[in-house]
Every structure is written in C-alpha cells, then in structure tokens.
Amino acid sequence: MATIKDVAKEANVSIGTVSNVINGKTNNEELIRRVENAIEKLDFRLNGKAKSLKMKCTYLIGVVVENLENAETGLILEALERRLENEGYSLVIKMAGKNAVLEKKQISQLMKTGVDGMIIPDLPMSDYLAEYKEVTERYGLEFIFLVTPETSDE
C-alpha cells in the first residue's frame, strides 16, 4: 500500500505539499495535477486511523435510533448523512429499540469507537438526560437531540 512519502516521491514534491493538496490548501494547479496523478498511479488511499490520531478527530458522528422501520427516521438519517458528508464526516448508526438500557450500551460503544459527537433522535431520554450532560462535561462529547412533537388523538 502506497504511503504519503511514496506519493511525494512520485510527484517530486515534499510530503507537506502532498498534505496541502489532499487537504485543499493550495491553488497551484501544477502541484495539484502532479500530486493527483501520483495518487492515482500509486492507488494511494488516506489512512483514516493515522489522520484521526494526528487531528484528534475521527470525523465520525454516532446516531442512536429506535429502529430503521420508521420512514421519518430514514428521512432524518438521509438528511444527516448528506449534510455531514459535505463536512467530511460519516455516520455510525446504532439501534436501541425502546430500551433505555440498550440505548446506554449503544452510546457507550459509540464512545469507545471515538465518535466526535452523537445525535439522538426521539428516544425516551427524559429519565436520564442528566447522564448525557455528565458525559458531555466529562468527555467533551456533544449530543444533539432531535425531538419531534407527539401527535395527539384529540
């Protein structure tokens, strides 16, 4: 597997230049062309683990949903994925049913994965909202809650 050093050597540029091209930090068309040609020739792929270690960011956002059967949930996930993808993030989706214990387990697993934040759409969280606040304060992990209004039979 090709490394960034291999790309730099092939393109006859520095490693820093390759990094700048990859991260969109240069407008020099000649350098961009040379680096992109070298990337294609060597079939270079970024190492996500190495990037996340260096940047201290995984570019992963966790989402805990009840299930995937609800059309509204699907629409929310699709919109989230499109928006996050534009910002360079990926979704990691976990399901918890209507089970508060399973929800906590899924959140714990997402934290172990190293997500940068979590989105919790419409789960029964009123009893342990304080726990989310504690996690946010302790680990610097941000939560976003998407709450839709209850429909009334009246």
Side-chain angles (χ1 to χ4, degrees), residues 61-120:
I61 301 294
V63 181
V64 180
V65 296
E66 188 175 301
N67 60 55
L68 297 175
E69 297 168 5
N70 183 323
E72 185 177 293
T73 299
L75 291 172
I76 289 170
L77 291 174
E78 184 179 350
L80 284 171
E81 184 170 44
R82 272 197 314 266
R83 174 68 174 137
L84 291 171
E85 193 174 76
N86 287 338
E87 302 297 326
Y89 286 83
S90 296
L91 283 180
V92 179
I93 301 168
K94 295 284 193 174
M95 290 177 280
K98 293 185 180 197
N99 183 326
V101 173
L102 182 55
E103 180 184 357
K104 288 179 188 181
K105 180 181 176 189
Q106 300 292 40
I107 288 169
S108 178
Q109 286 183 335
L110 287 168
M111 290 174 62
K112 288 176 186 173
T113 301
V115 296
D116 297 323
M118 284 191 223
I119 299 170
I120 315 289

Side-chain angles (χ1 to χ4, degrees), residues 129-146:
L129 191 56
E131 291 180 39
Y132 288 115
K133 185 177 181 194
E134 181 185 333
V135 169
T136 298
E137 291 170 354
R138 182 182 292 168
Y139 300 103
L141 186 65
E142 295 295 328
F143 284 90
I144 297 174
F145 297 99
L146 304 176

